[in-house]
């Protein structure tokens, strides 16, 4: 088997928990950070002994990877490079919270070969940031962005969110304009999802918040129009990039490539098998201290599962969904959707039209049959 090319490291710690967030994360509590780092490196050693690993992309996500102190980051990244062959690495991303990247930490990440930072800005107005429970101010985000540029990062992503309770189309436009003015290389613009087990979901079920699909579409098209006019290519439903700055790591997920996930709560897919690590950081550390892998759910993916995933992911991309995945090949819905100007059909692929883009998920479900 050729070496795995993509690796994800999960750092689950956040200063505080945002009320909409469904990722595996928590405040650090009494976590022994050196023990956590040892556990992450032990898992890397055990897994790479089983699965040859020569990463082309690495991604540190969370949680908040930049929550780790400079001492701990330096230790982790120094020892990691002794464990894995980074000679083919072309994209090395760190997610960052605007409050947690002083110039010295930015320099440290650069010195360890990090090439790309994804900055969790979400919005540029204080009321929206307050609703989201974010712990940074607009000025802190602007300062951190400037710091990252001055440090020499030439691939910066801004994460933005829309359809947030209380957010208006005007404040969303201001967020987009302010983002464009900074000239990031990549922008991710996500529609807020009300995920189960979040405070936002509870507020939705209590009737305090409402889902507004028409408003979602207005926000989506506003982003599409402003970002394309500013020179960003819309290459995935939630992602826009300047030439040469599409995310190779995320593309690996979208196009069903294998990847190794390391850290509590994260998932790996290797050679038709998928597993998830235990979603409990103290238990994760203990298992690895005992020399045991922390995987909990191991499943073998069926061809139908893989096909279903491809519908959900590839239809969202600029490249589109291969036509041969649709059964029967002359699915009656195909021509109806094309007539309604929701999809475009080439000889080989189905792509979404402008009108179809906000309906990606329901079109995928309908075509899947
Ligand atoms: S900082 Fe990010 S990972 Fe942490 S709770 Fe907020 S959204 Fe979730």
């Amino acid at each position: 088997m050729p070496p795995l090319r993509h690796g994800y490291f999960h750092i689950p710690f956040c200063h505080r928990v945002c009320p909409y967030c469904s990722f595996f994360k928590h405040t650090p509590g009494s976590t022994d950070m050196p023990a956590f780092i040892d556990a992450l490196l032990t898992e890397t050693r055990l897994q790479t002994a089983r699965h040859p690993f020569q990463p082309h992309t690495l991604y540190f996500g969370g949680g908040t990877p930049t929550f780790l102190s400079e001492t701990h980051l330096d230790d982790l990244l120094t020892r990691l490079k002794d464990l894995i062959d980074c000679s083919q690495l072309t994209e090395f991303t760190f997610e960052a919270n605007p409050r947690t990247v002083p110039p010295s930490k930015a320099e440290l990440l650069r010195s360890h070969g990090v090439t790309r930072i994804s900055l969790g800005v979400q919005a540029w107005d204080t009321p929206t940031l307050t609703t989201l429970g974010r712990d940074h101010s607009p000025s802190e985000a602007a300062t951190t962005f400037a710091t990252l540029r001055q440090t020499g990062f030439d691939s910066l992503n801004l994460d933005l969110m829309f359809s947030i309770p209380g957010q208006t189309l005007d404040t969303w436009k201001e967020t987009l304009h302010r983002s464009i003015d900074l000239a990031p290389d990549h922008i991710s613009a996500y529609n807020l999802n009300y995920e189960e087990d979040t405070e936002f979901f509870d507020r939705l079920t209590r009737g305090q918040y409402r889902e507004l699909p028409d408003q979602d579409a207005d926000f989506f098209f506003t982003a599409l129009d402003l970002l394309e006019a500013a020179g960003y290519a819309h290459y995935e439903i939630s992602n826009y990039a300047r030439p040469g700055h599409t995310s190779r790591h995320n593309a690996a997920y979208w196009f069903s490539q294998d990847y190794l996930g390391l850290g509590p709560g994260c998932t790996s897919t290797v050679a038709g098998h998928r597993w998830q690590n235990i979603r409990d950081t103290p238990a994760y550390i203990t298992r690895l201290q005992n020399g045991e892998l922390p995987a909990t759910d191991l499943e073998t993916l069926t061809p139908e599962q893989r096909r279903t995933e491809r519908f959900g992911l590839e239809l969202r991309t600029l490249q589109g969904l291969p036509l041969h995945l649709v059964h029967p090949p002359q699915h009656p819905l195909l021509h109806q959707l094309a007539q309604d100007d929701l999809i475009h059909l080439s000889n080989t692929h189905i792509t979404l039209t402008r009108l179809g883009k906000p309906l990606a998920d329901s079109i995928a479900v309908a075509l899947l049959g």
Side-chain angles (χ1 to χ4, degrees):
M1 195 176 83
L4 293 170
R5 294 173 161 215
H6 307 285
Y8 173 83
F9 288 80
H10 193 75
I11 310 294
F13 313 110
C14 295
H15 284 289
R16 69 182 192 204
V17 166
C18 304
Y20 58 90
C21 176
S22 64
F23 299 128
F24 174 66
K25 81 289 163 190
H26 52 85
T27 53
S30 56
T31 305
D32 178 343
M33 286 300 164
F36 171 76
I37 289 167
D38 285 347
L40 196 55
L41 292 164
T42 301
E43 189 193 7
T44 306
R45 183 171 50 74
L46 293 175
Q47 287 290 17
T48 56
R50 295 156 63 106
H51 309 287
F53 185 46
Q54 193 180 43
H56 292 218
T57 73
L58 287 175
Y59 194 107
F60 274 65
T64 308
T66 50
F67 173 90
L68 296 178
S69 70
E70 288 168 42
T71 304
H72 291 146
L73 279 172
D74 192 30
D75 180 39
L76 171 60
L77 296 176
T78 302
R79 290 163 65 197
L80 183 64
K81 278 185 282 183
D82 290 338
L83 277 180
I84 59 179
D85 172 4
C86 289
S87 61
Q88 300 301 310
L89 187 61
T90 55
E91 184 184 280
F92 185 1
T93 302
F94 250 70
E95 287 180 355
N97 174 304
R99 277 202 113 162
T100 55
V101 199
S104 52
K105 196 175 281 186
E107 290 284 357
L108 179 77
L109 294 175
R110 276 286 287 169
S111 73
H112 279 288
V114 174
T115 61
R116 183 172 182 271
I117 301 284
S118 179
L119 195 61
V121 170
Q122 316 310 350
W124 287 107
D125 64 292
T126 303
T128 305
L129 290 171
T130 303
T131 303
L132 290 173
R134 302 293 298 187
D135 62 0
H136 69 268
S137 65
S139 63
E140 280 171 322
T143 301
T144 301
F145 187 89
T147 296
L148 292 168
R149 275 289 191 239
Q150 282 156 13
T151 309
F153 286 101
D154 60 7
S155 200
L156 294 180
N157 171 56
L158 296 185
D159 263 355
L160 305 177
M161 287 176 68
F162 61 86
S163 279
I164 299 157
Q167 186 186 35
T168 65
L169 206 49
D170 281 343
T171 52
W172 176 230
K173 280 183 193 163
E174 281 166 28
T175 280
L176 289 164
H177 282 303
R178 183 139 183 212
S179 300
I180 290 165
D181 287 347
L182 288 174
D185 311 285
H186 190 284
I187 292 180
S188 298
Y190 297 105
N191 195 339
L192 171 69
N193 271 327
Y194 291 88
E195 306 278 0
E196 283 189 39
D197 296 326
T198 64
E199 197 181 316
F200 268 32
F201 185 80
D202 291 343
R203 291 186 198 170
L204 182 74
T205 52
R206 288 200 303 268
Q208 194 177 339
Y209 290 161
R210 281 188 307 145
E211 289 186 287
L212 300 166
D214 288 346
Q215 180 186 287
D216 291 351
D218 290 343
F219 278 72
F220 173 84
F221 285 126
T222 299
L224 180 63
D225 292 342
L226 289 180
L227 294 174
E228 284 194 336
Y232 292 88
H234 188 217
Y235 74 106
E236 198 270 348
I237 292 292
S238 303
N239 289 282
Y240 300 81
R242 289 191 187 283
H245 289 279
T246 58
S247 166
R248 277 166 270 180
H249 185 84
N250 288 341
Y253 299 140
W254 301 331
F255 293 102
S256 304
Q257 293 183 32
D258 285 353
Y259 62 93
L260 195 55
L262 299 150
C266 67
T267 302
S268 301
T269 303
V270 178
H273 301 289
R274 178 167 298 157
W275 64 88
Q276 187 181 34
N277 282 350
I278 190 165
R279 288 168 69 90
D280 177 330
T281 303
Y284 169 86
I285 294 171
T286 303
R287 284 212 191 180
L288 284 153
Q289 283 173 335
N290 294 332
E292 295 167 27
L293 282 172
T296 52
D297 298 314
L298 176 62
E299 61 175 331
T300 301
L301 298 171
T302 65
E304 196 48 34
Q305 260 177 302
R306 299 216 85 156
R307 177 172 166 266
T308 302
E309 289 182 0
R310 291 188 67 179
F311 270 72
L313 294 168
E314 291 179 44
L315 191 60
R316 294 169 59 94
T317 66
L318 186 61
Q319 185 174 312
L321 180 74
L323 206 42
H324 69 81
L325 291 175
V326 179
H327 304 151
Q330 296 304 320
H331 196 302
L333 252 187
L334 281 176
H335 295 286
Q336 186 60 52
L337 291 167
Q339 261 181 11
D340 293 344
D341 194 25
L342 295 173
I343 60 170
H344 173 74
L345 293 170
S346 74
N347 288 337
T348 56
H349 283 77
I350 306 164
T351 48
L352 296 169
T353 61
R354 176 185 159 85
L355 272 184
K357 284 179 175 179
L359 305 172
D361 293 343
S362 36
I363 292 173
V365 169
L367 284 175
L368 196 52

